[in-house]
C-alpha cells in the first residue's frame, strides 16, 4: 500500500522552482478555463443532490475546530471548498490569504470553506498546537482534524496544499494541487455559486496581499528544494562519515558545502523524522539560493523559550534576517511550527546559512524556501 506521506509537498516546491519552465501564468489561465468548462459538463451529467463518498468521509471527521461537527444538512445545497493543509507547511501558509478571503467574501452567497488539517509531522497531531495555529493564522472557518489520513485517502489527495471544489449537487467538480492558479480557482467558485441559485455573482476577484510567512515565494530566485533532516527522507547530507541512525553521534561540518547540501556540527541524534542536539551546543549549516529560508522546529518539553542564533556567511544576518530572528540573528523557539530565519533584502545569491542551538530539547525537521 502506498504511503500517503511519500506524495508530499516537495513536488510542488520543485514546480515553483522551475517557474516559467513549468505551467507559467498563461498555462494556468488556460487551465482555469478548462476547469470551468469541466465543471459545467459535470453539472449537466448529474443533477442529484446525494453527497459524494469523499464528502461523507469529511463529515465523519472525529474532531472539528471552529465549529460543532458538521452534518449533511449543513452542507446540502451549498458550494463547498475543501482545503487540505498542515500548519507547518510553507506552501499551505502561502495559500491561506486566499482561502480566508474567499470564505469571508462568499459566505453570504452560500460558500462553505472547510479546512482539513492532515499532519505531516507528529507534533501536528497535537490538538492544542493546531488550535493555537488557527488563532495565530486568523482561520475562523471550520477545520476537520485528519490525524489518521481517513479524509485524505477518501479524496485520494496527493499534496499539501490542495483545493477540492464541490458543487451544490454534492459532487466534486474539480481540484487543484499545490500553490497558484488563484484567479482561476476564484472564478470557478463564482461559477459554482451562480449555478447553485441561478443568480449572477460579481466576477471581481479578491485583492489578496500575503505578508510575512504568507507572502508569495520569489520564484525567480528559488533554486533550493525542500530538504528533510530526519534520515527517512534526508538528502544531500554532507558531514563526513554520513548519518548514524537513532543514536548520539559527534558530527563534523563539511569543509565545503555545495549548493543545496547541508551538514551537522557537534553532538546530534538523528531520528527518522528529525534531528535533535545531544549536547548543549550544536549547529546545522545549509548552502542555499532563495530569498527566504524556513526551518520547521519542535521541542521535547514545554516551558521556557529555547534560544538559537543564526548567521549568514559567518556573520549576523542584519537586513537579511527573517520574521523570527532579529538583525543579530537571535531567536527563540517556543511553539512547534515553521520559523522564517532568512528573508534576503539584497540581490539573491548563493549563501551559507548556519543555526546554532544551545539546548538539547530542540528538534529540527525540515528546511523550506521561498
Amino acid at each position: 500500500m502506498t504511503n500517503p506521506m511519500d506524495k508530499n509537498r516537495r513536488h510542488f516546491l520543485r514546480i515553483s522552482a522551475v517557474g516559467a519552465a513549468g505551467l507559467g501564468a498563461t498555462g494556468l489561465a488556460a487551465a482555469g478555463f478548462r476547469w470551468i468548462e469541466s465543471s459545467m459538463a459535470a453539472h449537466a451529467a448529474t443533477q442529484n443532490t446525494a453527497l459524494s463518498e469523499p464528502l461523507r468521509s469529511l463529515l465523519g471527521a472525529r474532531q472539528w475546530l471552529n465549529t460543532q461537527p458538521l452534518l449533511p444538512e449543513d452542507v446540502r445545497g451549498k458550494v463547498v471548498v475543501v482545503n487540505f493543509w498542515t500548519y507547518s507547511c510553507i506552501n499551505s501558509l502561502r495559500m491561506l490569504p486566499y482561502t480566508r478571503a474567499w470564505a469571508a467574501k462568499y459566505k453570504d452567497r452560500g460558500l462553505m470553506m472547510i479546512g482539513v488539517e492532515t499532519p505531516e509531522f507528529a507534533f501536528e497531531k497535537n490538538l492544542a498546537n493546531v488550535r493555537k495555529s488557527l488563532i495565530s493564522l486568523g482561520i475562523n472557518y471550520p477545520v476537520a482534524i485528519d490525524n489518521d489520513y481517513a479524509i485524505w485517502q477518501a479524496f485520494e489527495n496527493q499534496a499539501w496544499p490542495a483545493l477540492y471544489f464541490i458543487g451544490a449537487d454534492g459532487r466534486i467538480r474539480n481540484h487543484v494541487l499545490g500553490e497558484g492558479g488563484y484567479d482561476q480557482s476564484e472564478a470557478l467558485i463564482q461559477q459554482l455559486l451562480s449555478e447553485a441559485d441561478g443568480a449572477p455573482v460579481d466576477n471581481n476577484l479578491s485583492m489578496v496581499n500575503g505578508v510575512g510567512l504568507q507572502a508569495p515565494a520569489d520564484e525567480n530566485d528559488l533554486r533550493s528544494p525542500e530538504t528533510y533532516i530526519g534520515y527517512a527522507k534526508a538528502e544531500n547530507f554532507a558531514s563526513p562519515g554520513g548519518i548514524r541512525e537513532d543514536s548520539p553521534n559527534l558530527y563534523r561540518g563539511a569543509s565545503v558545502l555545495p549548493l543545496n547540501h547541508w551538514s551537522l556540527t557537534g553532538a546530534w541524534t538523528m531520528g527518522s523524522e528529525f534531528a535533535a542536539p545531544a549536547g548543549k551546543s550544536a549547529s546545522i549549516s545549509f548552502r542555499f539560493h532563495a530569498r527566504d529560508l524556513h526551518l520547521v522546529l519542535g521541542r521535547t518539553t514545554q516551558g521556557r523559550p529555547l534560544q538559537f542564533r543564526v548567521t549568514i556567511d559567518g556573520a549576523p544576518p542584519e537586513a537579511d534576517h527573517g520574521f523570527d530572528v532579529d538583525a543579530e540573528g537571535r531567536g527563540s523557539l517556543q511553539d512547534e511550527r515553521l520559523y522564517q530565519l532568512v528573508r534576503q533584502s539584497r540581490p539573491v545569491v548563493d549563501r551559507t546559512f548556519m543555526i546554532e542551538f544551545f539546548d538539547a530539547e530542540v528538534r529540527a525537521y525540515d528546511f523550506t524556501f521561498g
Side-chain angles (χ1 to χ4, degrees):
M1 177 172 158
T2 300
N3 182 351
M5 298 299 287
D6 293 337
K7 299 176 180 179
N8 56 51
R9 61 199 185 201
R10 183 179 304 185
H11 174 63
F12 297 99
L13 279 171
R14 286 173 177 164
I15 288 177
S16 295
V18 300
L23 286 175
T26 302
L28 287 170
F33 288 118
R34 289 197 295 273
W35 295 343
I36 293 174
E37 291 165 0
S38 173
S39 165
M40 295 299 290
H43 182 64
T46 175
Q47 294 290 335
N48 68 71
T49 58
L51 300 181
S52 63
E53 180 58 36
L55 188 51
R56 286 197 295 270
S57 174
L58 172 60
L59 296 179
R62 297 178 181 179
Q63 292 179 305
W64 289 88
L65 298 178
N66 290 343
T67 184
Q68 294 296 315
L70 296 180
L71 302 173
E73 52 265 34
D74 295 321
V75 301
R76 188 167 286 118
K78 292 183 178 291
V79 173
V80 178
V81 176
V82 178
N83 173 212
F84 282 89
W85 73 299
T86 189
Y87 80 85
S88 78
C89 168
I90 187 59
N91 310 79
S92 294
L93 294 177
R94 291 194 292 243
M95 182 178 279
L96 289 180
Y98 296 90
T99 60
R100 291 195 305 261
W102 298 336
K105 182 177 179 180
Y106 299 110
K107 179 179 180 180
D108 293 341
R109 280 300 306 261
L111 176 69
M112 178 171 285
M113 180 69 66
I114 300 177
V116 178
E117 220 286 347
T118 307
E120 178 167 19
F121 301 118
F123 67 81
E124 293 170 314
K125 297 181 179 181
N126 184 311
L127 204 59
N129 285 347
V130 181
R131 283 197 184 100
K132 187 179 294 185
S133 74
L134 297 187
I135 295 171
S136 65
L137 296 170
I139 297 173
N140 54 24
Y141 49 78
V143 174
I145 303 301
D146 188 32
N147 284 349
D148 60 0
Y149 275 69
I151 305 171
W152 176 290
Q153 291 169 356
F155 277 77
E156 298 182 356
N157 187 44
Q158 299 182 21
W160 297 274
L163 295 172
Y164 289 80
F165 303 88
I166 301 174
D169 57 6
R171 303 291 172 176
I172 295 175
R173 308 289 282 280
N174 228 303
H175 69 278
V176 180
L177 302 181
E179 300 180 62
Y182 299 116
D183 289 354
Q184 291 74 35
S185 291
E186 186 170 5
L188 178 55
I189 291 170
Q190 293 170 348
Q191 181 67 51
L192 293 175
L193 290 171
S194 179
E195 245 180 54
D197 60 12
V201 176
D202 184 346
N203 61 4
N204 289 327
L205 299 176
S206 302
M207 300 298 293
V208 173
N209 181 30
V211 297
L213 291 171
Q214 298 172 43
D218 178 6
E219 296 185 2
N220 292 330
D221 275 313
L222 181 53
R223 300 177 191 169
S224 290
E226 179 170 22
T227 301
Y228 292 92
I229 296 175
Y231 64 73
K233 296 182 180 179
E235 296 179 348
N236 295 336
F237 182 64
S239 285
I243 292 172
R244 181 176 180 181
E245 298 180 3
D246 297 318
S247 59
N249 188 45
L250 188 62
Y251 291 92
R252 290 187 293 115
S255 57
V256 176
L257 274 178
L259 182 63
N260 297 328
H261 286 65
W262 59 285
S263 65
L264 299 175
T265 300
W268 288 85
T269 299
M270 182 79 81
S272 64
E273 193 174 74
F274 59 82
K280 290 294 185 180
S281 179
S283 64
I284 310 175
S285 298
F286 196 114
R287 185 74 171 170
F288 75 104
H289 188 113
R291 182 195 65 194
D292 301 340
L293 179 148
H294 316 98
L295 182 57
V296 177
L297 295 172
R299 54 187 300 163
T300 58
T301 60
Q302 297 304 308
R304 63 181 177 83
L306 306 177
Q307 305 301 313
F308 58 80
R309 183 174 60 206
V310 164
T311 61
I312 304 175
D313 296 334
E318 298 181 341
D320 292 335
H321 70 91
F323 180 80
D324 290 301
V325 297
D326 63 19
E328 295 302 312
R330 295 184 295 256
S332 62
L333 192 172
Q334 183 67 56
D335 300 322
E336 296 183 294
R337 61 177 176 86
L338 178 143
Y339 287 75
Q340 185 186 87
L341 304 177
V342 175
R343 169 157 286 177
Q344 295 196 63
S345 59
R346 61 180 69 127
V348 175
V349 296
D350 294 0
R351 313 289 295 277
T352 299
F353 164 88
M354 187 184 79
I355 182 168
E356 183 179 8
F357 300 104
F358 308 103
D359 298 277
E361 293 90 349
V362 172
R363 290 176 170 179
Y365 290 81
D366 183 29
F367 284 101
T368 59
F369 302 88

